[in-house]
Amino acid sequence: MSSSNCCFLTCIQISQEAGQVVWYSHLSQNFPYLRNSFSLNHWNTFRNSTYPEAPPNPEISPTETELRIESIMEKLDQLIPPRPFTNVSSTTSATHSRATLLSPRDTYCRGDQLEVLLEMRDHLGRRKEYGGDFLRARIFSPALKAGASGKVTDFNNGTYLVSFTLFWEGQVSLSVLLIHPSEGVSALWRARNQGYDRVNFTGQFANGTSPVFSKCGLTLHTTAELCEYLDYRDQEAFYCLKPPRVPCEALTHVTTRNADISYIRQKERALFHRSNVGVEIMKNFASIKVSACENKNIETKCRLGMKSPFPSGYTVKRKWIAAFCKQIELNETKTINDCLKRKLIYLMGDSTLRQWIQYLPKMVKTLKYFDLHGVGPFKTHVLLDAERHTLIQWKKHGHPFITQSLFSVKDDNYIPREIDRIAGDKDTAIVITLGQHLRPFPIKIFIRRAINVQKAIERLFLRSPETKVILKTENTRRLFDNAEMFSDFHGYIQNLIMRDIFMDLNVGIIDAWDMTIADSTNNIHPPDYVIENQINMFLNYIC
């Protein structure tokens, strides 16, 4: 079996035996379709930390979840081994590396594969002898506003094979960016898993007319009395220093600030300087010409549970076209209204999914906001069409949620608990996105959350198997954001984990990662045309 025909965590072992690892610049190709803060009445416990009965201790009796987390961690550590680092001159250099077109032709046909060989060198021009660089490959045609991502196969010897599918006709250009050298990837992975304190959480407690503020977090190393907000079943926890003479139940709001803490070593910091992030690798060829030749049309309608090929799609004139199923163009109000009639739609996640509920009224004028009396951008948002009995709700996911805005936690829940509250039926759809707010924390936090969401979906399918569940992957963001906390490398790894954990579930995927690489948006909040493409893909799944 080749490394490109296996799912991620299994693929690691197979690929290493063959001496290569596949890094997909959009994500792994063969994952099947992916198979909120706390609410008092749904917490298993809400009390001071000096409680008589202790929660289960994974170190004494490992649960199935703990064993799965450790297994995934072991495989990730194999995929991202420590790399030697002495100084920047010995790290991978985009300007000294070369991209060579294999088997060049005067003209290519639409649907052909295009392959490029990368030979990586360091800043002194010496050949690299190992892989692990984080690369992003893309083809594009500016005149057509067209783009698609590429697959990168790492041979672990300083060479890579970049593969593209030529989806459209015309002049096509290629780009391969060195986002981080392997030494930078190794530093990011080590630093990420060292600490929880890169973000400062502050909790606001109600106390008459004068609220009280206290330090909070996912962990707090102190001997002081704590308020522990623990979900026993899912082993998700949040803590606050207990304010004097104020009950733990009085916590109402939380806000965050980035801490001035870094686990990147001093000599490694140059690797993440703006000039060393997202640098174009030199190539010895210009654009290529693609002709129509023989076109093959896809006839299978998009549906949940379909396997995703590589890549999952492409854009032309800023319209996303799936590469594995036939989309229906839902651009007329009546068509969309008919699709949404009697639908209950629950959007669970971060502000990249909140963009949907902000954009939908532009597409469907009959959807009106319903005020649930919240305050600020992170309150629960609801759209209603009473005549057609349509309800669409967005609710943010649970801790950690990173924003300087003060947000309410009065009715918050983790996503698994929100899913547990939904009855489900053939007209109910759930969309989940998870990841951007978890990038600054050790990866075990993310793995546990993903497993808990998977289990909640399995419980939902037991009681209502006809319910439609869709996962929207993380999208890319600015290349020059704080790399230690927010690098797309963290998002890439999280996307791989999600696809592996969910691969056996009959759910769908909206590949926001691939979409934003194809369009090269590099913005945590993509523009409206990307949001419209995501919604259109969602409607194709549920209609």
Side-chain angles (χ1 to χ4, degrees):
M1 180 185 296
S2 72
S3 60
S4 60
N5 290 321
C6 49
C7 63
F8 165 59
L9 295 176
T10 305
C11 186
I12 296 172
Q13 181 177 359
I14 295 170
S15 300
Q16 288 177 335
E17 290 172 358
Q20 61 187 43
V21 172
V22 178
W23 292 83
Y24 300 131
S25 66
H26 78 305
L27 282 177
S28 293
Q29 76 204 51
N30 262 346
F31 287 105
Y33 269 47
L34 300 183
R35 155 123 182 203
N36 295 23
S37 326
F38 309 105
S39 173
L40 307 192
N41 58 330
H42 289 280
W43 282 342
N44 294 89
T45 185
F46 189 134
R47 64 186 74 184
N48 297 5
S49 63
T50 54
Y51 49 86
E53 67 272 23
N57 186 339
E59 294 181 3
I60 297 174
S61 178
T63 64
E64 176 198 358
T65 297
E66 303 302 327
L67 293 173
R68 286 181 69 187
I69 292 171
E70 290 307 318
S71 176
I72 292 172
M73 283 299 302
E74 288 177 9
K75 292 169 183 175
L76 288 171
D77 285 336
Q78 293 174 29
L79 180 66
I80 315 165
R83 294 299 185 191
F85 178 78
T86 52
N87 54 63
V88 172
S89 65
S90 63
T91 65
T92 310
S93 164
T95 55
H96 288 82
S97 301
R98 288 293 179 270
T100 303
L101 186 62
L102 299 181
S103 304
R105 306 203 303 260
D106 291 336
T107 302
Y108 294 82
C109 289
R110 182 180 173 188
D112 281 353
Q113 291 292 304
L114 186 73
E115 295 187 329
V116 175
L117 180 68
L118 302 182
E119 295 179 298
M120 311 304 280
R121 297 180 180 272
D122 65 19
H123 289 261
L124 298 178
R126 299 171 299 196
R127 281 285 303 271
K128 293 296 293 286
E129 297 180 352
Y130 51 84
D133 300 304
F134 184 47
L135 305 166
R136 179 171 298 169
R138 176 176 178 258
I139 52 174
F140 59 98
S141 296
L144 297 174
K145 296 179 180 176
S149 64
K151 179 184 73 175
V152 181
T153 302
D154 183 349
F155 293 107
N156 279 326
N157 60 3
T159 62
Y160 301 78
L161 182 68
V162 184
S163 304
F164 300 97
T165 301
L166 302 174
F167 286 110
W168 61 87
E169 309 163 39
Q171 291 296 127
V172 176
S173 300
L174 284 76
S175 168
V176 181
L177 301 180
L178 175 63
I179 307 297
H180 301 303
S182 55
E183 297 81 5
V185 166
S186 178
L188 288 175
W189 183 244
R190 185 200 70 247
R192 174 173 186 171
N193 293 304
Q194 277 187 257
Y196 292 78
D197 49 359
R198 275 174 284 253
V199 177
N200 291 326
F201 294 82
T202 301
Q204 176 179 303
F205 290 76
N207 184 36
T209 58
S210 301
V212 176
F213 295 89
S214 183
K215 182 178 181 179
C216 302
L218 300 183
T219 61
L220 290 176
H221 301 289
T222 178
T223 57
E225 188 176 15
L226 296 177
C227 291
E228 180 181 59
Y229 308 103
L230 174 66
D231 184 322
Y232 275 137
R233 184 194 68 190
D234 292 342
Q235 287 292 288
E236 300 268 18
F238 188 72
Y239 304 88
C240 291
L241 293 176
K242 186 181 182 303
R245 298 176 297 280
V246 176
C248 293
E249 291 84 353
L251 177 64
T252 61
H253 294 78
V254 171
T255 184
T256 70
R257 296 291 188 275
N258 294 345
D260 188 20
I261 292 174
S262 174
Y263 294 97
I264 296 293
R265 296 165 186 157
Q266 184 66 38
K267 64 180 181 180
E268 295 169 335
R269 292 179 185 175
L271 297 175
F272 307 105
H273 188 272
R274 189 184 185 105
S275 61
N276 291 326
V277 175
V279 183
E280 185 82 33
I281 294 176
M282 301 296 291
K283 52 185 181 290
N284 61 357
F285 54 91
S287 62
I288 62 167
K289 183 179 180 181
V290 180
S291 300
C293 301
E294 182 181 352
N295 290 329
K296 295 181 180 180
N297 295 321
I298 299 172
E299 300 297 336
T300 305
K301 181 186 179 300
C302 301
R303 64 179 186 274
L304 301 179
M306 297 184 79
K307 293 186 177 181
S308 174
F310 167 77
S312 62
Y314 59 101
T315 57
V316 173
K317 296 181 180 178
R318 288 184 172 169
K319 292 293 184 183
W320 177 256
I321 303 169
F324 58 92
C325 63
K326 183 178 181 179
Q327 291 168 268
I328 301 170
E329 187 60 39
L330 298 165
N331 52 13
E332 294 185 4
T333 300
K334 183 181 184 305
T335 307
I336 299 174
N337 274 334
D338 289 345
C339 170
L340 293 178
K341 188 175 182 179
R342 294 190 57 79
K343 294 292 192 299
L344 303 177
I345 299 169
Y346 299 93
L347 311 177
M348 304 178 183
D350 58 33
S351 56
T352 66
L353 199 51
R354 188 190 62 203
Q355 287 182 272
W356 285 28
I357 211 160
Q358 294 169 331
Y359 187 76
L360 275 163
K362 301 176 184 178
M363 298 176 68
V364 185
K365 303 300 182 183
T366 56
L367 286 171
K368 305 298 181 183
Y369 283 105
F370 183 83
D371 185 5
L372 286 181
H373 298 191
V375 177
F378 302 111
K379 67 180 181 180
T380 299
H381 294 257
V382 173
L383 294 175
L384 288 176
D385 183 338
E387 181 181 341
R388 295 175 178 81
H389 304 284
T390 300
L391 179 146
I392 305 173
Q393 173 185 288
W394 173 83
K395 192 170 185 179
K396 67 180 182 63
H397 65 67
H399 298 300
F401 201 85
I402 303 172
T403 174
Q404 293 188 10
S405 301
L406 197 67
F407 60 89
S408 172
V409 295
K410 291 180 181 179
D411 67 342
D412 278 3
N413 245 334
Y414 288 121
I415 286 177
R417 295 290 179 177
E418 291 289 343
I419 295 172
D420 288 341
R421 298 177 63 179
I422 294 174
D425 61 20
K426 65 181 179 61
D427 290 320
T428 298
I430 301 172
V431 186
I432 300 165
T433 193
L434 191 66
Q436 294 281 358
H437 292 258
L438 283 86
R439 290 187 184 190
F441 302 95
I443 196 68
K444 285 185 179 182
I445 298 289
F446 180 85
I447 298 171
R448 183 183 302 278
R449 185 71 52 84
I451 291 173
N452 288 337
V453 170
Q454 176 215 12
K455 290 181 176 180
I457 294 171
E458 289 174 339
R459 291 190 294 270
L460 172 65
F461 285 165
L462 287 174
R463 63 182 180 269
S464 299
E466 66 275 26
T467 306
K468 298 173 178 64
V469 179
I470 295 99
L471 176 73
K472 184 186 81 69
T473 70
E474 289 181 61
N475 52 256
T476 59
R477 59 189 295 163
R478 280 197 317 174
L479 293 177
F480 310 115
D481 284 341
N482 181 330
E484 182 176 357
M485 296 178 67
F486 298 114
S487 169
D488 276 338
F489 171 72
H490 299 314
Y492 166 79
I493 294 298
Q494 290 176 172
N495 272 330
L496 293 181
I497 292 167
M498 286 290 280
R499 288 170 177 264
D500 182 76
I501 288 173
F502 284 80
M503 68 178 178
D504 292 329
L505 289 180
N506 185 35
V507 297
I509 179 176
I510 294 170
D511 199 341
W513 185 271
D514 213 5
M515 289 179 178
T516 49
I517 288 180
D519 281 316
S520 191
T521 54
N522 295 328
N523 191 327
I524 189 172
H525 295 118
D528 280 354
Y529 61 85
V530 176
I531 303 305
E532 182 178 339
N533 286 331
Q534 293 173 5
I535 294 173
N536 187 274
M537 195 71 199
F538 165 71
L539 295 175
N540 269 267
Y541 280 133
I542 69 169
C543 300

